[in-house]
Amino acid sequence: MWEAPPSPGKGGKGGKGDRGDQGDRGGNGLARYVVAAALARTADGGAVVAVVLLVTSSGGSGALAGVLGACITAPHLLGPFVARPLDLARDGRKVIAAACLLYATALTAGVLTYGHAPAVVTGLLLAAAGTCGPLLTGGISSRLPAIVGPRPRLRAQRRAQGWDVATYGIGGTVGPSLVAALSGWVSPTAAALALAVGAAAAAGGVLLLPFAEPSHGGDRSAILKPAATLALIARTGPLRRTVYLTMIVALSLAALPITAVHMTKILGVEPATAAVLTAAYGLGNLTGSIAVMVFPLTGDPDRLMRRLALGVVAGLLTVTVSPAFTVTVSAYALTGILNAFFFASTLAARTEYAPRGARGQVFIWVAALKITSGSAGTALAGSLTGVTIELPLVLGVLAVSAAVVAATVETRFGRADEKHP
C-alpha cells in the first residue's frame, strides 16, 4: 500500500502543529486529500448543470440558462489572477478552504435569489462562485507535493497523481449525475444546495491536509506575478510543451459530446443513446484514473505526455472510423481511459517542472488555459459538424499529431538548459 516518505528532518518553524501535520503525510494525508478534492470537484463539476436545470425547469429561456451557466464557468479564466495569493500565503490551505466556503456561500445565494431578484444579481453571485473554481481544481492539486513529502519515491508520487486524476473523474461524472438525480427526486434548487454543502465540507477537509512551509521562505517579493509566471512557462521548454499539449488535447476532446449526438444518425440509433456514448467516455476516464493508481506511470513526464497524446489520437481515430454503435461505445470508453493517462502525465509535468515559488500559479495557469481550449473546442465542433460530422474528430487527430511532432522536434533540437526551470 502507500509508503510514507522519509522524514524531512529539521527545518521550517518546527512548531507542534507542523510536526503533527508532517506525521500525517502518506496514507492518512492522501485519504484526506482524495475526500476533500472529490467533494470540491463534484461541486464544481455539477454546478453548471444545476444552474441550467434550475432555469429551464422554472420556465426560463435557454438563453438565460446559458448566460447564468457561463457566469459560473467563465470566471475560471481568471484563475491565474486569483492563484497568486496561494503562493504568497503563509498557509495555502487556508486560502483554498476560504475559496471553498466562498464558493458554497455564493452558489447558495445565487440559487436562492433566482426568481426573487433581478437576474443580474443571481449572475453576479454565480460569477463570485465561479471565480473560486480554479482554487477548487488546480489550487487543490498544488497541495499534492506536500502530501507525498519533500523527497518522495517516484512511484509514490505518481500513484498520488493517479488519485488526483480520479478525483477529477469523480467530479466530472458524479457531479452532473448527482444533480440530475436530485433534480428529478426533489428539485434543481436542492441539487445545487447539496453541491454547496459538499464544497463547504471540502473546506474542512483541506484544513486537515498536511502543512507545507510557504515557498517564498518569508520573502514574498520572490513570488512571481501572473504575467511573469506565464512568461516563465513560455520560456521553460517542458512547461511550455505541457501547456500546448494540454490545450490542444482539451480542444480536440471537446468535440466528443457534440459529435456523439450527430453520430447516432450515422449509426442508425435513437438520438437519446448519445448519452450512452458520453457516459462511456466518463466511465472510461474514471477507469483510466483507477488504472493509474494501481499502475503508476514511470519515466520522464515530458516524454510521457507526447506518447500518451498519441494514445489520445488513436482513441479519436477509432471513434472516427467506428462502423457500429457497440464499437463506437468502446471507442469512447477507450478514449476516456487514454485521456486519464495523458492527464496524469500533465500533472506529473506540472509537479516536477514548476519552480516551487510559482507552483500554485503554474497549476492554475495550465488549468485555466485547458478550460479555455475546451470551451473553444466545443464551439468549434458545434460549427463544424454542420459541414461533416466527422470533421471535428479528424481535425482533432491532425491537431494533436502536429502538437506531438512540434514537441518532439523541440525536445530533440531545443537548448539543453530548457529542460528545467
Side-chain angles (χ1 to χ4, degrees):
M1 297 298 292
W2 185 266
E3 295 180 21
S7 172
K10 297 180 180 180
K13 300 287 183 185
K16 182 178 179 181
D18 291 359
R19 287 196 299 271
D21 286 331
Q22 299 287 359
D24 282 339
R25 296 188 197 274
N28 290 337
L30 183 61
R32 294 172 187 174
Y33 178 89
V34 169
V35 171
L39 286 170
R41 289 159 185 169
T42 296
D44 191 57
V48 65
V49 180
V51 169
V52 170
L53 288 177
L54 174 67
V55 176
T56 55
S57 66
S58 61
S61 67
L64 179 59
V67 169
L68 292 182
C71 283
I72 204 167
T73 56
H76 281 68
L77 303 181
L78 299 175
F81 302 95
V82 300
R84 193 163 183 257
L86 189 58
D87 286 326
L88 285 171
R90 173 70 181 86
D91 188 348
R93 298 173 302 180
K94 294 180 180 179
V95 176
I96 299 172
C100 290
L101 290 175
L102 179 57
Y103 187 98
T105 303
L107 179 60
T108 298
V111 169
L112 293 180
T113 57
Y114 177 72
H116 303 285
V120 66
V121 175
T122 299
L124 289 173
L125 289 168
L126 294 177
T131 303
C132 299
L135 291 172
L136 274 64
T137 53
I140 293 181
S141 289
S142 70
R143 309 307 299 170
L144 204 55
I147 293 171
V148 297
R151 294 187 296 275
R153 282 190 269 190
L154 181 62
R155 185 177 178 83
Q157 180 172 280
R158 297 288 171 82
R159 180 176 286 117
Q161 289 159 357
W163 279 103
D164 200 26
V165 174
T167 65
Y168 280 100
I170 291 169
T173 305
V174 175
S177 300
L178 179 64
V179 167
L182 287 177
S183 296
W185 295 337
V186 189
S187 68
T189 299
L193 294 179
L195 296 179
V197 170
V206 168
L207 292 175
L208 293 175
L209 297 180
F211 172 81
E213 289 290 342
S215 56
H216 53 71
D219 181 14
R220 298 192 176 192
S221 63
I223 299 299
L224 299 178
K225 295 182 178 179
T229 303
L230 185 59
L232 169 73
I233 293 172
R235 67 173 181 266
T236 304
L239 288 178
R240 181 173 61 246
R241 291 186 283 276
T242 300
V243 168
Y244 69 69
L245 284 170
T246 298
M247 290 179 67
I248 294 175
V249 167
L251 184 144
S252 302
L253 290 176
L256 289 176
I258 304 298
T259 55
V261 176
H262 297 282
M263 288 185 73
T264 57
K265 302 174 184 177
I266 297 177
L267 299 170
V269 295
E270 292 294 325
T273 56
V276 176
L277 296 177
T278 54
Y281 174 80
L283 291 174
N285 199 287
L286 196 53
T287 301
S289 304
I290 295 171
V292 174
M293 288 186 286
V294 178
F295 306 105
L297 298 176
T298 59
D300 175 47
D302 203 6
R303 186 180 301 110
L304 281 171
M305 284 190 297
R306 299 195 302 272
R307 292 178 177 177
L308 292 170
L310 287 178
V312 172
V313 168
L316 289 172
L317 193 57
T318 306
V319 172
T320 305
V321 301
S322 295
F325 181 69
T326 54
V327 178
T328 306
V329 172
S330 300
Y332 265 74
L334 173 64
T335 307
I337 292 171
L338 293 168
N339 182 50
F341 276 85
F342 172 75
F343 182 39
S345 71
T346 67
L347 286 176
R350 286 183 249 179
T351 299
E352 296 180 28
Y353 300 134
R356 190 165 178 264
R359 180 173 287 150
Q361 293 187 73
V362 168
F363 265 88
I364 294 178
W365 258 118
V366 177
L369 293 171
K370 178 181 178 180
I371 291 171
T372 304
S373 295
S375 299
T378 300
L380 182 63
S383 61
L384 293 178
T385 48
V387 181
T388 306
I389 292 175
E390 296 90 348
L391 184 57
L393 297 173
V394 172
L395 290 180
V397 167
L398 294 176
V400 178
S401 299
V404 172
V405 170
T408 302
V409 170
E410 251 201 86
T411 303
R412 291 187 178 179
F413 299 101
R415 296 176 300 174
D417 60 358
E418 275 193 334
K419 290 187 177 180
H420 298 284

